[in-house]
Amino acid sequence: MDNIEKELRTVIAKLFEEKKIDLVIGYTKGTLPLVSTPIFLKEEKDVDKLIFDVSCGNNLVKYLKRHRIVNMKDTKVAIIAKGCDGRAIVQYIAEGQIKRDDVLIIGVPCEGVVDPKKIRSKTNGKEVSQYRIEDKKIILKGNDFEISLNKSDVLSDFCLRCRYPNAPLYDIFITEPTKSVGTKDEYEKVNEFEKLTSSQRWQYFENEMSKCLRCYACRNACPMCYCEDCFVDQSNPQWFGKGTDLSDTIIFHIVRVIHTAGRCVDCGACARACPVNIELDLLNTKAGKEIQERFGYTPGLDPDETPAMAAYDAEDKQEFIL
Amino acid sequence: MKDNPYIPIPVRLKRTEIESDDKTLRTLDFTLCDENQAFDFMPGQFCQLSILGKGEAPFGIASSPSEKGFLRFTVNRVGGVTTALHYLKEGAVIGMRGPLGNYYPVEKFKGQNLVIIGGGFAFTTLRSLVLYIFANRKHFNDITIIYGARRPGLLLYQNELTEWEKRDDIKLFLTIDEKVPGWDKKVGFVPVVIGEVAPKPKDTWAVVCGPPIMIKFTLLRLFELGFSAERIYTSLERRMKCGIGKCGRCNIGSKYVCVDGPVFSLAELQKLPEQY
Amino acid sequence: MQYKIEKNDISTLIDILASVYDLFGPVKTDGLTKLARIKSASNLDLESFNTDESAKDIFFPQYETIFNFKDGEIKNEFDKNRPIAIFGIRPCDAKSFLILNKAFNNGGVNDSYWNQRYTDAMIFAIGCNRPSQTCFCNWVNQGPFNKEGTDIFLIDLGDDFMVESCSSKGDDFLKNVSKITLQNPNPGDLDKVNQIKREAEILMSEKLDLAPLKSILDTQLLDSPLWNEISAKCLSCACCTYLCPTCHCFDIQDEKKPGTNQGSRVRMWDSCMFSLFTQEASGHNPRPTIASRMRQRIMHKFNYFVENFGEIACVGCGRCVRTCPVNLDIRGIIKRIKNEG
């Protein structure tokens, strides 16, 4: 990782120097251990603030449109892209949200990011104050403990099933594209879940959704939720209740799943943002699986392919239409 | 239930009438269902009108405390509640909470001159103020009223305006944006008319209600004429829910429009972070 | 008056409380610690940091009925529930109730819904022997052993709890609790308390004096480009405000059963970080940008609330720090603002 950061900083310093960019959307050290924070770097002198490691979980593509829209039309923007960020950019291009030339993509080889919830469970709720990576191990230190864990035990589930650790499109790649840390079948969780009875599945969703606070952190962290005027924020007409009535909460989540079906790049931003640990990926992955099986479409890989939900073919399977 | 500030009292629609020629404005007169209930208010205050199943919305009281037997509101049709109010039939019973907020500082105005400036449909609480002054006319000195709308059909309370024009104890100037056949009064934006009328600032207070752009240029004109920010009052509108300073959305700085307002002096507003 | 009780007595204490009160306490669920209704001490979690969600939901539920209506008739009946007791919240949450109580009863208009739950409630708070790295209660005139807002305060001594009454309600409770032996603490116990407090102090982040904050916000930052800078990475979600123990903004809406004339007027939490919060029916929005909403949130806590109620509307619980999806740390914002002074 040290090499990656070193090269990243050198490359970006050079880009600033050559006036090829005005702004870099990247990661810097956060205020808590194992938590990074987005940074909008505008000057060469700040490049040492850039980091890239297992703490860099946010999907930075969320900021791409905002920074292009808000008084920055003439700003040359570069973005640090893991595989999932890269896929979100590709999907933005495919959906006509940005043009390929709008952004300089700096690919980074992603070997997975940690899931703070797993860490918390591994340390029994004790706080980590320092960490270091040693090959396949992560060593966590707190006030009165030090433990060594397999990295794979604390990586996000999304990373453990990731098949695209490198951005599909990039202008510059830092070091070398890497092999995915994902060892699990993409749809393993969904396949297992499908074996349950419908009442078991419903009960599961009721239980998960009843935790929801309606803070919309999932939607707001999701790079694919870029609508200027989300159905959630419409008041005339108001589509559903604003309270925590289970039926309203479920409507919110189901509509979001439908709106992101065949568009979700499985980055895990939603689940990571959720303050109450709702398992948010199951429905999304299921929707992605359906799209994949029916239309052979995987979002975020090919900027020139028409997205599944925007394409129509007379041969499209439609047995699911009642 | 009486001590619960969120429970509306029932009011019955006594009269409803289209107020503007584009049919977006409608005037509704309500009576309290419980006739023995006291309802004391002052010009500038507002109420939350409540249609069960649709919700609540705030409206300035357009009738004057001196008018007995009804409470008047003029409603612009923009959202769910206002549309429902437009469709109400006479005799219908809805809910009302109020009176809420502060009011025009009529005590300060006593023994002084007053310039009342209104634009468009923001003349509701100004009507209340004018009628209050008429009922207590001897306490006030010169009264000048300048009221404008885009065209004649958008002026509120036209029958009353005709009556007011006959009075010799006020100066009333009505204006429209562009000349139309049959209009023999002033033509031009309100701020321009203020310049023509040129009220003297000495011992005079100004009360201004209207759309933001009108207010902006009206203030410039009043400053030119020598009015100080302390002597200019306006009434603000904000999205409101509770109306009692708790739900957190209508504040401008540390002031809540629903309890510290809606009436503010310009001097007060200048100290606050956001303008209207 | 301070007493000592054996840790084993906690289950008896909980039984007594549960028989009289609608009792809440911290419980581990789904990897989080939440305040839940408890009937016994069996799954009480007094080891974790402050609960993941704040305690405000107990007195100010996220979603509650103001009244029901049917065919134009309003029916409003307060739940005649038993009084509420909360056992084992942290000092920050106990203090937050005092702040919320001011907000809900300002200007002489009392909020019946808050009051019916809060006024008769009993609050048992427990000191924080091990504050979290996100705690900054010492910045806002609080501390890990602050007793404000509590009726009975406990300190974990290892094998025993130190118990202290902090209100007349607490006095009455301790006077009448006969099934538990209230021992008089010996000097060794008091030494231990002091040592625990000292150790906790060391774990806290360095104290920051926030007294100058109000005037900086008031005079220099009403219209500053700083807000754009601070809010640049904000996602405008409501994690911070919904988990905040002092944020109290709400919405009121009518919910009607389709095809009927009956339904409810409900109130639910709302957030100043949502664009819809101030959006008017005309489409005009006085706070249209994330920066303007961020300014409102910070100003409300550190300026407007101070202006109106004489204290900061933040208890330093650190929940917004822990849960912000982009690590927009309010402590950093506060320091940044202070540097402007």
Side-chain angles (χ1 to χ4, degrees):
Chain A
M1 278 293 167
D2 290 348
N3 287 339
I4 298 176
E5 278 177 3
K6 213 170 140 195
E7 189 175 323
L8 181 66
R9 292 167 186 173
T10 315
V11 166
I12 296 209
K14 194 153 170 265
L15 288 168
F16 272 119
E17 202 183 332
E18 293 169 354
K19 302 211 182 310
K20 286 186 176 152
I21 53 170
D22 305 307
L23 172 81
V24 181
I25 307 176
Y27 302 97
T28 193
K29 207 167 165 313
T31 60
L32 302 171
L34 284 161
V35 176
S36 71
T37 187
I39 185 172
F40 309 107
L41 205 76
K42 288 174 188 144
E43 287 174 87
E44 185 187 336
K45 68 173 172 59
D46 291 332
V47 289
D48 286 344
K49 289 183 181 166
L50 286 172
I51 64 159
F52 184 70
D53 71 0
V54 290
S55 71
C56 298
N58 293 110
N59 192 320
L60 300 176
V61 180
K62 186 73 201 180
Y63 298 110
L64 207 46
K65 279 189 69 185
R66 203 199 295 173
H67 279 271
R68 295 221 56 89
I69 292 164
V70 183
N71 305 325
M72 300 195 74
K73 284 259 184 266
D74 300 322
T75 307
K76 284 172 280 182
V77 178
I79 191 166
I80 313 294
K82 308 186 294 292
C84 46
D85 306 87
R87 289 181 65 197
I89 297 169
V90 168
Q91 197 62 19
Y92 271 33
I93 300 170
E95 295 179 7
Q97 294 304 308
I98 57 167
K99 296 193 184 69
R100 175 65 187 89
D101 298 339
D102 284 346
V103 62
L104 188 103
I105 306 168
I106 300 171
V108 282
C110 179
E111 292 178 3
V113 296
V114 293
D115 179 348
K117 288 151 199 161
K118 288 189 184 176
I119 302 228
R120 179 168 164 179
S121 126
K122 293 282 179 195
T123 62
N124 264 329
K126 288 186 177 173
E127 283 180 327
V128 174
S129 53
Q130 287 172 43
Y131 70 100
R132 60 179 198 275
I133 308 285
E134 284 177 8
D135 195 27
K136 290 196 164 28
K137 294 277 182 185
I138 181 164
I139 292 103
L140 306 173
K141 263 178 88 169
N143 273 325
D144 51 3
F145 71 93
E146 174 168 327
I147 49 170
S148 170
L149 299 166
N150 289 325
K151 229 171 80 183
S152 57
D153 289 338
V154 291
L155 287 184
S156 154
D157 282 347
F158 293 83
C159 304
L160 292 174
R161 61 164 183 256
C162 170
R163 290 189 294 152
Y164 307 99
N166 309 300
L169 276 185
Y170 52 83
D171 297 286
I172 296 168
F173 205 93
I174 302 300
T175 69
E176 293 291 319
T178 185
K179 265 176 45 190
S180 174
V181 291
T183 49
K184 293 196 172 151
D185 182 276
E186 211 177 347
Y187 300 129
E188 184 183 302
K189 221 161 138 188
V190 171
N191 293 339
E192 284 302 312
F193 191 72
E194 283 172 349
K195 289 178 191 155
L196 301 177
T197 65
S198 67
S199 68
Q200 284 171 323
R201 296 201 301 263
W202 185 244
Q203 201 181 351
Y204 168 84
F205 283 120
E206 280 199 340
N207 183 48
E208 286 299 301
M209 297 311 167
S210 65
K211 298 184 219 164
C212 180
L213 293 176
R214 302 286 295 270
C215 71
Y216 303 132
C218 49
R219 174 198 63 167
N220 291 19
C222 173
M224 301 321 295
C225 272
Y226 55 64
C227 289
E228 302 265 322
D229 190 13
C230 174
F231 77 103
V232 165
D233 297 326
Q234 289 167 7
S235 58
N236 197 12
Q238 182 177 320
W239 300 102
F240 62 134
K242 277 176 81 174
T244 45
D245 187 273
L246 194 57
S247 62
D248 289 321
T249 305
I250 287 181
I251 284 176
F252 162 64
H253 288 284
I254 288 178
V255 174
R256 211 179 84 78
V257 166
I258 290 169
H259 282 185
T260 53
R263 305 173 57 237
C264 168
V265 293
D266 212 29
C267 66
C270 51
R272 199 172 292 113
C274 180
V276 291
N277 294 2
I278 300 174
E279 216 173 321
L280 281 164
D281 58 322
L282 209 48
L283 276 176
N284 275 317
T285 317
K286 168 71 175 166
K289 184 185 167 203
E290 294 292 322
I291 299 277
Q292 168 62 242
E293 285 174 355
R294 290 197 158 68
F295 311 115
Y297 180 77
T298 306
L301 296 183
D302 180 357
D304 299 321
E305 188 177 357
T306 310
M309 299 310 270
Y312 172 75
D313 189 305
E315 301 301 309
D316 279 345
K317 290 186 184 175
Q318 41 187 281
E319 82 288 354
F320 56 93
I321 297 171
L322 294 174
Chain B
M1 213 150 129
K2 211 178 144 208
D3 301 325
N4 185 337
Y6 295 99
I7 305 292
I9 57 164
V11 290
R12 178 170 280 112
L13 183 61
K14 188 179 173 188
R15 187 188 74 96
T16 170
E17 199 177 334
I18 281 289
E19 191 66 55
S20 61
D21 62 5
D22 66 356
K23 296 191 168 63
T24 59
L25 300 168
R26 181 177 273 278
T27 290
L28 303 102
D29 290 352
F30 292 96
T31 53
L32 302 187
C33 289
D34 177 1
E35 285 168 17
N36 297 321
Q37 198 156 7
F39 191 88
D40 298 320
F41 72 99
M42 289 294 281
Q45 289 195 286
F46 69 98
C47 289
Q48 286 275 7
L49 295 184
S50 176
I51 306 256
L52 297 180
K54 293 280 181 193
E56 285 185 313
F59 301 96
I61 306 172
S63 50
S64 157
S66 54
E67 295 176 287
K68 302 295 175 195
F70 68 94
L71 286 167
R72 179 166 294 174
F73 301 92
T74 297
V75 175
N76 184 26
R77 199 169 91 179
V78 280
V81 175
T82 51
T83 302
L85 285 169
H86 267 243
Y87 284 118
L88 272 190
K89 298 269 189 307
E90 283 170 11
V93 173
I94 65 161
M96 186 181 81
R97 289 195 292 133
L100 301 167
N102 69 353
Y103 47 90
Y104 297 116
V106 287
E107 289 302 320
K108 279 187 187 170
F109 299 163
K110 282 187 180 168
Q112 303 256 306
N113 309 316
L114 201 57
V115 186
I116 295 167
I117 302 164
F121 69 90
F123 199 72
T124 54
T125 57
L126 292 183
R127 177 191 181 273
S128 174
L129 177 64
V130 169
L131 292 186
Y132 177 88
I133 290 167
F134 287 172
N136 301 276
R137 186 65 189 87
K138 65 176 189 294
H139 295 297
F140 302 91
N141 290 345
D142 293 351
I143 304 293
T144 306
I145 301 167
I146 299 165
Y147 178 31
R150 285 206 305 280
R151 51 172 202 276
L154 295 179
L155 286 166
L156 301 184
Y157 319 126
Q158 290 179 23
N159 294 340
E160 282 178 331
L161 293 177
T162 312
E163 292 301 310
W164 295 1
E165 284 184 304
K166 294 174 192 158
R167 295 180 72 118
D168 56 11
D169 62 346
I170 60 163
K171 279 183 241 161
L172 174 66
F173 301 94
L174 299 176
T175 182
I176 55 170
D177 287 1
E178 281 175 45
K179 198 166 171 52
V180 293
W183 180 262
D184 57 0
K185 294 158 198 128
K186 288 204 172 284
V187 174
F189 296 135
V190 166
V192 178
V193 174
I194 295 168
E196 291 168 18
V197 174
K200 302 264 182 310
K202 191 175 176 337
D203 299 329
T204 304
W205 298 79
V207 179
V208 188
C209 291
I213 189 75
M214 183 208 97
I215 294 203
K216 187 179 163 187
F217 287 101
T218 296
L219 293 179
L220 288 177
R221 201 49 56 94
L222 289 173
F223 290 148
E224 282 168 19
L225 290 167
F227 281 80
S228 68
E230 286 75 19
R231 286 193 159 247
I232 303 173
Y233 276 84
T234 187
S235 176
L236 299 184
E237 282 193 13
R238 274 292 159 112
R239 179 172 156 95
M240 288 179 191
K241 286 290 180 171
C242 72
I244 48 176
K246 306 193 192 305
C247 79
R249 55 172 59 55
C250 73
N251 69 303
I252 300 179
S254 59
K255 304 287 182 204
Y256 284 89
V257 172
C258 67
V259 289
D260 301 308
V263 176
F264 292 95
S265 76
L266 191 62
E268 288 170 300
L269 289 180
Q270 282 170 343
K271 287 186 209 137
L272 302 175
E274 289 156 292
Q275 298 294 308
Y276 18 89
Chain C
M1 188 64 192
Q2 283 190 324
Y3 302 99
K4 196 169 78 171
I5 63 168
E6 286 179 21
K7 258 197 181 164
N8 292 336
D9 282 339
I10 286 294
S11 65
T12 316
L13 181 63
I14 296 294
D15 291 344
I16 297 167
L17 285 172
S19 69
V20 181
Y21 293 97
D22 188 10
L23 181 64
F24 293 81
V27 168
K28 270 196 179 127
T29 36
D30 292 329
L32 300 172
T33 304
K34 289 185 177 185
L35 283 165
R37 277 205 170 79
I38 51 169
K39 296 259 187 298
S40 74
S42 60
N43 48 359
L44 199 60
D45 171 22
L46 298 177
E47 300 298 318
S48 296
F49 301 115
N50 55 15
T51 49
D52 284 272
E53 292 170 42
S54 82
K56 71 181 173 188
D57 188 58
I58 294 173
F59 300 129
F60 170 44
Q62 177 162 12
Y63 183 55
E64 70 176 314
T65 301
I66 293 180
F67 56 75
N68 296 309
F69 55 83
K70 191 178 177 185
D71 300 326
E73 291 286 319
I74 289 172
K75 279 212 183 77
N76 154 250
E77 283 165 16
F78 283 125
D79 315 337
K80 298 248 170 12
N81 284 335
R82 292 180 299 167
I84 290 169
I86 311 178
F87 187 88
I89 54 167
R90 300 292 169 176
C92 48
D93 280 324
K95 166 72 188 182
S96 78
F97 299 146
L98 299 182
I99 290 173
L100 291 177
N101 197 49
K102 287 183 176 176
F104 280 116
N105 290 310
N106 71 330
V109 183
N110 301 326
D111 191 288
S112 327
Y113 302 88
W114 165 268
N115 289 346
Q116 61 139 348
R117 297 190 182 91
Y118 177 67
T119 311
D120 297 324
M122 275 284 274
I123 314 292
F124 289 71
I126 179 167
C128 300
N129 295 17
R130 304 190 64 80
S132 157
Q133 55 199 1
T134 51
C135 291
F136 61 105
C137 57
N138 55 344
W139 293 20
V140 288
N141 305 318
Q142 304 292 302
F145 297 89
N146 192 294
K147 294 166 194 152
E148 279 178 89
T150 64
D151 295 301
I152 295 197
F153 195 79
L154 293 91
I155 298 173
D156 188 342
L157 301 177
D159 297 327
D160 308 286
F161 276 111
M162 194 68 99
V163 176
E164 186 183 349
S165 163
C166 308
S167 72
S168 55
K169 255 189 279 176
D171 291 344
D172 289 346
F173 181 83
L174 288 186
K175 239 179 257 165
N176 296 318
V177 61
S178 55
K179 287 183 194 157
I180 293 170
T181 316
L182 298 173
Q183 309 164 34
N184 285 318
N186 57 46
D189 297 326
L190 297 174
D191 286 347
K192 202 166 184 183
V193 166
N194 286 332
Q195 194 194 336
I196 285 169
K197 287 185 177 176
R198 270 198 308 274
E199 284 172 9
E201 283 297 325
I202 294 166
L203 287 172
M204 293 292 296
S205 56
E206 199 187 331
K207 192 172 155 59
L208 196 74
D209 178 20
L210 299 195
L213 219 55
K214 183 183 184 311
S215 80
I216 298 170
L217 286 167
D218 226 2
T219 53
Q220 286 161 263
L221 297 183
L222 288 184
D223 245 333
S224 165
L226 183 80
W227 300 111
N228 282 322
E229 184 196 315
I230 287 175
S231 65
K233 62 185 170 187
C234 173
L235 298 174
S236 206
C237 72
C239 265
C240 49
T241 54
Y242 279 11
L243 294 171
C244 176
T246 67
C247 277
H248 52 271
C249 290
F250 59 83
D251 193 1
I252 299 174
Q253 297 206 335
D254 283 11
E255 296 186 345
K256 207 166 87 168
K257 290 193 183 117
T260 71
N261 277 323
Q262 57 175 311
S264 311
R265 180 156 297 168
V266 288
R267 84 164 164 191
M268 62 278 271
W269 295 353
D270 206 341
S271 171
C272 61
M273 298 311 298
F274 292 150
S275 62
L276 193 59
F277 187 60
T278 49
Q279 173 101 42
E280 289 161 17
S282 64
H284 174 68
N285 192 344
R287 294 175 205 146
T289 60
I290 296 179
S292 59
R293 298 195 283 276
M294 174 68 74
R295 176 178 74 172
Q296 163 65 18
R297 176 169 159 256
I298 299 297
M299 284 280 187
H300 191 193
K301 291 191 174 306
F302 301 100
N303 181 359
Y304 309 154
F305 204 87
V306 184
E307 172 91 30
N308 291 332
F309 299 104
E311 64 181 324
I312 287 172
C314 169
V315 292
C317 73
R319 289 184 179 92
C320 57
V321 179
R322 281 206 295 267
T323 54
C324 177
V326 294
N327 186 236
L328 181 43
D329 191 323
I330 197 167
R331 295 171 301 181
I333 298 177
I334 294 170
K335 282 183 187 162
R336 182 78 181 73
I337 291 166
K338 230 195 133 181
N339 285 343
E340 296 286 311

